[in-house]
Amino acid sequence: MPHDRPTLRQFLLKDYRTHGTEKDLVFLLEDIATACRVIASRIRNGSFAGDLGSAGSTNIQGETQKQLDVIANDEFEGHCRNCSRVAALVSEEVEDVIWLKATPAVGDYIVYFDPLDGSSNLDVNLSVGSIFSIVQLTEAIDASDDRTVLRRGTEQICAGYAVYGPAMSFVITTGAGVHGFTNHLGSGEFRLVSRDMTIPEETDEFAINASRHSSWNQPIRRYFDECVAGKDGPRGKTFNMRWTASMVLDIHRILTRGGVFLYPDDSANRAQGGKLRLLYEANPMAMLIEQAGGRATTGRDRILDVQPTSSHQRVPVIFGSKAEVERIEGYFEESPVSVGAQDPV
Ligand code: AHG
Ligand code: MN
Ligand code: MN
């Protein structure tokens, strides 16, 4: 038993004393951590319980839902309901905003979540994760209008994710650095394992779904082609490539050893605005990345400054080591913007 490491509660209560993190936020984060622990066990036992495979339904994204997408969504929703300060929930798996309070007040929370990220990995026993983001209301809002949850990423007071891998990780920021916990098998406790996770500025590792090469715009194609040209190319060094099909896992690797993650818009997904969703995928990851000293951009704009226009809006994302992301932003600056599309292909 790792008694020498602070538990999540001990850590957060210290945060409460030194950074003013509210007690209700501490309780909410503990409830979310519990939801993630339950999800981890549902995944682990999925094949015995008959929980693997399709749920036979589609979500608002038009994607087929896995049974575990629905199960994980219900766990998140159920545990968030424990906190009386949560006014609303926005989930990847639910089309409309879930209002928990009829008259949301100043100080209440909105929780945004992707209950299972990388769910195509489930049926082949590869790792998956969960992502969440918390915004605190600075004014009373109208619960009859779903557009009131459309908040910029800069309004987040907390973001985090869980990794359901060989070990279960729970990584959070409340705006004072990024801290990683591991779930201790046996006691079920989350104990601190990585304080102040920091992304190295430079990297020689990138993550992109290279099967989309023919659809990419010019700056992305240039970046990729220069990386794979290796020692004899313009970068003068060899790069490594990783792609896990779960952004959580790719970001966890980047927070641990650096790297860059790209899911750009391209000619095949541009009509949808990209692949990844702003409110519950890009924004929480952007907050974590920036808190760890990295950079998060669409290529042209800082992710956290993007004004959302709908709950399930998609956005191009480039995350990771500062110098590498700045280089890619430079490629976008040098590339002309065409009329009617973000970038020429
Ligand atoms: P989700 O399972 O929540 O729909 O998200 C999957 C996302 C992201 O996690 C991952 O990086 C990407 O989709 C994988 O896309 P490809 O299928 O193009 O590899
Ligand atoms: Mn996802
Ligand atoms: Mn998902």
Side-chain angles (χ1 to χ4, degrees):
M1 169 72 74
H3 286 296
D4 53 327
R5 296 177 182 277
T7 62
L8 179 64
R9 176 175 302 173
Q10 285 169 330
F11 181 88
L12 290 172
L13 286 176
K14 191 162 176 227
D15 223 30
Y16 153 76
R17 286 191 294 271
T18 52
H19 298 114
T21 300
E22 290 186 316
K23 280 251 174 81
D24 279 330
L25 183 60
V26 172
F27 300 146
L28 175 57
L29 278 168
E30 284 201 313
D31 280 323
I32 290 174
T34 302
C36 294
R37 204 172 55 209
V38 175
I39 293 166
S41 74
R42 296 295 299 261
I43 293 167
R44 196 165 284 261
N45 290 322
S47 40
F48 304 123
D51 288 340
L52 296 186
S54 166
S57 47
T58 47
N59 63 15
I60 176 68
Q61 334 282 335
E63 297 160 347
T64 306
Q65 289 176 307
K66 305 272 184 192
Q67 293 184 70
L68 280 164
D69 284 323
V70 178
I71 290 166
N73 177 75
D74 294 349
E75 289 299 337
F76 255 89
E77 183 179 332
H79 284 86
C80 286
R81 281 181 185 274
N82 291 345
C83 176
S84 61
R85 297 270 299 281
V86 177
L89 304 173
V90 178
S91 168
E92 175 186 334
E93 302 304 337
V94 181
E95 179 168 1
D96 297 325
V97 176
I98 302 164
W99 290 100
L100 304 187
K101 290 185 81 166
T103 50
V106 175
D108 283 349
Y109 306 126
I110 304 174
V111 186
Y112 306 82
F113 53 90
D114 174 357
L116 263 190
D117 177 69
S119 46
S120 69
N121 283 356
L122 287 168
D123 295 340
V124 290
N125 193 24
L126 292 176
S127 298
V128 290
S130 299
I131 313 172
F132 63 91
S133 154
I134 302 172
V135 161
Q136 184 163 36
L137 293 177
T138 50
E139 80 275 359
I141 58 170
D142 180 0
S144 66
D145 183 357
D146 279 5
R147 285 171 306 175
T148 54
V149 304
L150 302 178
R151 306 267 154 178
R152 280 196 177 92
T154 46
E155 288 194 48
Q156 294 172 109
I157 58 163
C158 177
Y161 63 79
V163 172
Y164 312 112
M168 179 186 166
S169 304
F170 190 69
V171 177
I172 54 167
T173 180
T174 54
V178 178
H179 311 289
F181 299 79
T182 295
N183 187 244
H184 180 256
L185 196 60
S187 68
E189 286 170 343
F190 290 91
R191 294 268 181 175
L192 183 68
V193 292
S194 319
R195 194 188 289 274
D196 283 317
M197 296 172 83
T198 307
I199 303 174
E201 257 194 47
E202 310 274 346
T203 185
D204 50 15
E205 192 165 73
F206 65 93
I208 192 165
N209 183 344
S211 69
R212 305 181 70 89
H213 188 280
S214 63
S215 308
W216 288 338
N217 54 40
Q218 188 272 336
I220 298 294
R221 203 177 296 171
R222 173 179 172 192
Y223 176 70
F224 176 88
D225 291 348
E226 288 183 0
C227 288
V228 296
K231 275 204 181 71
D232 299 330
R235 302 297 303 274
K237 61 177 180 176
T238 305
F239 280 78
N240 190 25
M241 196 189 88
R242 288 284 182 271
W243 186 250
T244 67
S246 162
M247 178 174 59
V248 169
L249 308 183
D250 286 313
I251 297 299
H252 189 64
R253 187 187 59 251
I254 289 170
L255 282 167
T256 308
R257 69 179 189 207
V260 60
F261 172 93
L262 306 95
Y263 214 121
D265 63 343
D266 57 36
S267 61
N269 67 26
R270 184 159 297 141
Q272 292 81 46
K275 162 102 186 199
L276 298 173
R277 282 56 57 113
L278 176 61
L279 289 179
Y280 41 80
E281 290 182 315
N283 271 343
M285 290 312 187
M287 183 180 185
L288 288 156
I289 293 278
E290 287 199 5
Q291 282 288 319
R295 243 176 123 77
T297 176
T298 64
R300 299 200 182 271
D301 301 301
R302 182 185 178 218
I303 296 277
L304 294 179
D305 287 333
V306 175
Q307 173 62 54
T309 52
S310 65
S311 309
H312 300 283
Q313 174 180 347
R314 296 173 193 258
V315 69
V317 300
I318 302 165
F319 291 141
S321 291
K322 190 165 174 286
E324 204 67 6
V325 175
E326 281 171 349
R327 168 184 287 273
I328 301 167
E329 290 175 300
Y331 293 179
F332 273 89
E333 259 170 47
E334 288 172 30
S335 165
V337 181
S338 66
V339 178
Q342 194 195 12
D343 290 291
V345 176

